[in-house]
Amino acid sequence: QAASQRFLQKLCSQYSVCLLVLLEPMTDVGQLDIISRRLCFSRAQAFLEGKIWVLWSETLTLEFEEWGDQLVYMEATWVGTTLHFSAVNAKCTRVGRRALWRAIEEIAGRLDGPWMVVGDFNVISKAEERLGGAPPNLRNMEEFNDIVFNCRLSEVSFDGSAFTWTNGSLWQRLDRALVNEAWGKLFQTTKVS
């Protein structure tokens, strides 16, 4: 954990990070303020029973809304621009994720402006995002891809490992960032590393 914190300190300093979202921080929520100060953020809040931590600087004004137990929606005002973020920590089952899909559709339907949906979706979008184990479940992929299409989202390109999760015998790309057209026009060089 100390090595992870040093790595985050370096990244935050190097890139002047003003908003940091941590999914499944694997530490007690009582440590949030200590870690926030260590990473030089002036504000921090935990959501979804400590599964999502949001740390931010005073340069941002944030408003939050929890959507069920899998998504936190944020509206950020930064340098006179309003940006929309959704942090996702999806359930592991198709049935469990359906509430998340409904929440994303509802937000997309009422939203006007740049929006990024980022996190652990616990599902792959195509067979190539999985290595090992049983063949992927087509229905899981269809439901996820339908939401991405219906909400007019597109995946942000990435560099690094093709897989974001493993149990040692199965590798999958479960974590990703999706953006709407308004985000893509405003931030044309958005990239995930």
Side-chain angles (χ1 to χ4, degrees), residues 14 34 37 44 46 51 54 57 62 70 83 95-97 101 125 137 153 155 175 183 185 187:
Q14 183 178 353
I34 294 166
R37 284 192 302 273
K51 294 177 192 162
V54 180
S57 71
L62 285 180
Q70 301 176 75
L83 306 172
V95 171
R97 285 188 296 267
W101 304 152
S125 67
N137 184 304
L153 296 168
E155 186 160 1
D175 306 280
W183 184 284
K185 285 181 179 177
F187 301 108

Side-chain angles (χ1 to χ4, degrees), residues 48-60:
L48 308 185
E49 298 176 0
K51 294 177 192 162
I52 295 178
W53 290 10
V54 180
L55 299 85
W56 70 99
S57 71
E58 291 177 351
T59 61
L60 290 178

Side-chain angles (χ1 to χ4, degrees), residues 18 57 59-61 75-83 85 186-187:
C18 58
S57 71
T59 61
L60 290 178
T61 302
E75 189 173 286
T77 304
W78 173 70
V79 193
T81 302
T82 299
L83 306 172
F85 297 95
L186 189 61
F187 301 108

Side-chain angles (χ1 to χ4, degrees), residues 1-175:
Q1 186 176 22
S4 296
Q5 287 182 33
R6 283 192 300 274
F7 178 73
L8 283 174
Q9 280 176 314
K10 180 181 174 186
L11 283 178
C12 290
S13 174
Q14 183 178 353
Y15 294 103
S16 301
V17 173
C18 58
L19 174 65
L20 178 66
V21 178
L22 299 175
L23 301 178
E24 298 179 306
M26 303 299 191
T27 191
D28 182 73
V29 75
Q31 296 294 307
L32 177 60
D33 288 335
I34 294 166
I35 293 171
S36 176
R37 284 192 302 273
R38 196 171 287 154
L39 296 176
C40 299
F41 288 99
S42 55
R43 296 189 167 87
Q45 195 164 338
F47 297 92
L48 308 185
E49 298 176 0
K51 294 177 192 162
I52 295 178
W53 290 10
V54 180
L55 299 85
W56 70 99
S57 71
E58 291 177 351
T59 61
L60 290 178
T61 302
L62 285 180
E63 293 182 26
F64 299 97
E65 190 175 343
E66 284 189 44
W67 287 67
D69 58 356
Q70 301 176 75
L71 182 140
V72 175
Y73 168 79
M74 293 166 257
E75 189 173 286
T77 304
W78 173 70
V79 193
T81 302
T82 299
L83 306 172
H84 308 272
F85 297 95
S86 295
V88 170
N89 188 4
K91 300 256 183 201
C92 294
T93 66
R94 181 171 68 235
V95 171
R97 285 188 296 267
R98 287 183 179 153
L100 171 63
W101 304 152
R102 287 190 297 274
I104 290 173
E105 281 184 322
E106 190 172 332
I107 292 169
R110 72 176 192 167
L111 196 62
D112 183 35
W115 181 36
M116 175 180 276
V117 186
V118 62
D120 180 355
F121 290 86
N122 260 318
V123 65
I124 61 173
S125 67
K126 54 189 175 234
E128 296 80 18
E129 293 180 346
R130 181 180 180 132
L131 179 66
N137 184 304
L138 296 177
R139 197 70 190 112
N140 286 341
M141 292 186 291
E142 285 172 4
E143 286 188 11
F144 176 62
N145 290 325
D146 286 348
I147 288 303
V148 171
F149 179 79
N150 293 342
C151 295
R152 303 166 94 175
L153 296 168
S154 57
E155 186 160 1
V156 175
S157 63
F158 70 94
D159 60 30
S161 175
F163 307 107
T164 62
W165 176 88
T166 185
N167 65 5
S169 61
L170 172 64
W171 290 262
Q172 298 188 97
R173 179 166 196 75
L174 303 179
D175 306 280

